[in-house]
C-alpha cells in the first residue's frame, strides 16, 4: 500500500439477508485529502462507513488503515488508531453542557498518555483539551450552555468537537449538514475544511448537497446499489456521462 494512502478497502462487501448493501467496493483514500462519497438514498454509504469504523463487520473484503489491516478490529480500537466518525443520529448528551460533552468525549476516548494522569490532574488535562477543542469548533463562548439549548448548527459543531476529542487522523462524517438550514451549511463546511487543512487530517464525507461536494472535494466516489459507479475529481464526476444521466441531475434537486 502506497505511503500516501491512509485508507484502503479491497472488495468490501456487506449483506443484510438477501440484500447486498455494499458490493465489492475497493476505494483508496489519499492522506490529507477531502474525499466525498455521494449516491442516492440506500446506495450503501452509511453501511460503508460502518464497515470502515468497525461498527459493522463485512461479509467479505478487507479494510486497511495506514497499511495495517483493521477489518476485524472493534470500534474502540479503530478510534485508538486514529479513525473518528460521526453518526447520522446525534450522539450528544442533551442535558450536559457543551464543555461536559466534549470533556466526556476526551475521557471516553482519551489517548494513552491521558491514562498516565490520575484524578485531579487528569480532570485538568481533559478540561484543557476540551477548551482547546471548543476553540477549534468555535464554541468556547457557549461552553456552559446545555447541549439541548444549542441551535442546530451549533449542535453539529459540538458533534464535530466530540469526534475531534481523540485527535483522529481520519474523520468519517456522515451527512454532517443534514437537517441544517441551508444558510448555516457553508460555515460548517468551512470549519471542516479548516480542521482538514490546519490539522493535516483526512476527511471522508457523505453529503447530499452537491454544490458543497463539488466545491470542497479532492476526490468523489459515487455509489449506487452498493457499488462504486464512478470515482474522480469534481470536474471528472461532473463530466461523467453515466453519473450525469443516472444521478447528478436528481442529486442536485
Ligand atoms: N441494519 C440493517 N439491516 C438491514 N438492512 C439494512 C441495514 N442497514 C442498511 N440496510 C439497507 O442497506 C441499504 C443501504 O443502506 P445505507 O447504507 O443506509 O444507505 P445510504 O446511507 O447510502 O442511504 C439500504 O437498502 C438499507 O435499507
Ligand atoms: Mg446514510
Amino acid at each position: 500500500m502506497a505511503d500516501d494512502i491512509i485508507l484502503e478497502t479491497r472488495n468490501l462487501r456487506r449483506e443484510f439477508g438477501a440484500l447486498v448493501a455494499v458490493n465489492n467496493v475497493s476505494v483508496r483514500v489519499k492522506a490529507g485529502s477531502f474525499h466525498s462519497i455521494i449516491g442516492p438514498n440506500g446506495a450503501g454509504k452509511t453501511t460503508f462507513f460502518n464497515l470502515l469504523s468497525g461498527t459493522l463487520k463485512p461479509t467479505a473484503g478487507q479494510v486497511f488503515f495506514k497499511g495495517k489491516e483493521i477489518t476485524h478490529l472493534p470500534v474502540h480500537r479503530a478510534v485508538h488508531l486514529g479513525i473518528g466518525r460521526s453518526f447520522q443520529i446525534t450522539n450528544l448528551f442533551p442535558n450536559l453542557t457543551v464543555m461536559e460533552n466534549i470533556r466526556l468525549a476526551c475521557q471516553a476516548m482519551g489517548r494513552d498518555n491521558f491514562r498516565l494522569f490520575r484524578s485531579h490532574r487528569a480532570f485538568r488535562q481533559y478540561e484543557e483539551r476540551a477548551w482547546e477543542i471548543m476553540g477549534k469548533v468555535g464554541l468556547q463562548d457557549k461552553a456552559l450552555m446545555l447541549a439541548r439549548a444549542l441551535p442546530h448548527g451549533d449542535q453539529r459543531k459540538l458533534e464535530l468537537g466530540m469526534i475531534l476529542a481523540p485527535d483522529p487522523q481520519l474523520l468519517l462524517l456522515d451527512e454532517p449538514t443534514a437537517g441544517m438550514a441551508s444558510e448555516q451549511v457553508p460555515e460548517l463546511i468551512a470549519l471542516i475544511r479548516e480542521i482538514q487543512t490546519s490539522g493535516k487530517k483526512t476527511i471522508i464525507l457523505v453529503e447530499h448537497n452537491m454544490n458543497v461536494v463539488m466545491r470542497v472535494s479532492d476526490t468523489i466516489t459515487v455509489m449506487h446499489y452498493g457499488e462504486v459507479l464512478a470515482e474522480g475529481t469534481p470536474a471528472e464526476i461532473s463530466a461523467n456521462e453515466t453519473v450525469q444521466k443516472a444521478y447528478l441531475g436528481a442529486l442536485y434537486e
Side-chain angles (χ1 to χ4, degrees), residues 1 8-12 25-28 60-64:
M1 197 164 134
E8 178 173 353
T9 68
R10 292 188 198 153
N11 303 316
L12 207 56
V25 171
S26 299
V27 169
R28 289 166 149 219
Q62 294 168 294
V63 183
F64 296 86

Side-chain angles (χ1 to χ4, degrees), residues 2-29:
D3 277 355
D4 67 333
I5 302 299
I6 191 167
L7 183 112
E8 178 173 353
T9 68
R10 292 188 198 153
N11 303 316
L12 207 56
R13 179 182 178 92
R14 172 67 200 209
E15 301 165 5
F16 293 113
L19 176 84
V20 186
V22 170
N23 190 3
N24 212 27
V25 171
S26 299
V27 169
R28 289 166 149 219
V29 177

Side-chain angles (χ1 to χ4, degrees), residues 16 19 21 40-47:
F16 293 113
L19 176 84
N41 269 334
K45 306 179 299 292
T46 296
T47 304

Side-chain angles (χ1 to χ4, degrees), residues 5 14 16-17 35 43 48 51 58 70 73 82 89 109 117 139 148 153 176 186 190-191 196 202 207 214 239-240:
I5 302 299
R14 172 67 200 209
F16 293 113
H35 193 125
F48 181 63
L51 295 173
I70 60 159
L73 289 188
I89 313 156
M109 313 206 276
F117 298 94
L139 285 178
R148 68 174 147 84
L191 183 58
Q196 179 215 2
T202 309
E207 174 60 52
M214 290 298 168
N240 182 307

Side-chain angles (χ1 to χ4, degrees), residues 40-47 88 174-175 206 208:
N41 269 334
K45 306 179 299 292
T46 296
T47 304
Q88 258 173 322
D174 194 353
E175 303 197 32
V206 170
H208 270 303

Side-chain angles (χ1 to χ4, degrees), residues 27-251:
V27 169
R28 289 166 149 219
V29 177
K30 272 206 182 119
S33 70
F34 202 116
H35 193 125
S36 296
I37 299 179
I38 63 172
N41 269 334
K45 306 179 299 292
T46 296
T47 304
F48 181 63
F49 264 27
N50 286 335
L51 295 173
L52 299 184
S53 63
T55 312
L56 274 178
K57 295 302 158 203
T59 310
Q62 294 168 294
V63 183
F64 296 86
F65 180 64
K66 295 196 290 179
K68 182 180 184 297
E69 183 170 3
I70 60 159
T71 317
H72 299 288
L73 289 188
V75 176
H76 70 273
R77 290 287 306 138
V79 168
H80 231 78
L81 286 173
I83 301 179
R85 69 158 295 174
S86 71
F87 294 83
Q88 258 173 322
I89 313 156
T90 181
N91 260 338
L92 308 175
F93 295 102
N95 292 321
L96 296 184
T97 65
V98 168
M99 175 70 180
E100 287 164 338
N101 268 282
I102 296 186
R103 185 167 46 72
L104 279 175
C106 292
Q107 276 172 253
M109 313 206 276
R111 290 175 296 178
D112 275 340
N113 54 347
F114 284 118
R115 297 213 181 120
L116 298 174
F117 298 94
R118 300 230 173 266
S119 59
H120 183 66
R121 227 177 134 194
F123 188 84
R124 287 271 311 271
Q125 286 271 318
Y126 294 132
E127 219 160 51
E128 276 167 28
R129 172 101 183 113
W131 269 107
E132 188 189 324
I133 290 170
M134 285 188 291
K136 281 188 180 145
V137 298
L139 285 178
Q140 277 182 349
D141 57 341
K142 292 176 178 157
L144 299 180
M145 276 180 75
L146 295 182
R148 68 174 147 84
L150 290 176
H152 192 78
D154 285 340
Q155 289 187 352
R156 287 295 148 115
K157 289 184 194 169
L158 176 52
E159 280 185 321
L160 206 51
M162 291 171 77
I163 302 165
L164 287 174
D167 199 18
Q169 288 171 271
L170 169 66
L171 278 77
L172 307 175
L173 303 174
D174 194 353
E175 303 197 32
T177 69
M180 283 178 75
S182 56
E183 65 270 18
Q184 291 179 324
V185 170
E187 193 190 341
L188 190 75
I189 295 296
L191 183 58
I192 294 169
R193 282 284 282 174
E194 168 64 23
I195 288 164
Q196 179 215 2
T197 50
S198 71
K200 297 191 172 61
K201 297 182 190 299
T202 309
I203 308 286
I204 310 184
L205 174 79
V206 170
E207 174 60 52
H208 270 303
N209 184 324
M210 277 311 107
N211 294 320
V212 165
V213 167
M214 290 298 168
R215 194 160 41 80
V216 301
S217 310
D218 297 307
T219 307
I220 299 171
T221 299
V222 187
M223 284 185 75
H224 186 58
Y225 291 121
E227 297 182 2
V228 173
L229 179 80
E231 189 173 289
T233 62
E236 286 163 353
I237 293 302
S238 303
N240 182 307
E241 266 188 41
T242 316
V243 178
Q244 277 281 352
K245 272 194 199 134
Y247 312 107
L248 230 41
L251 282 168

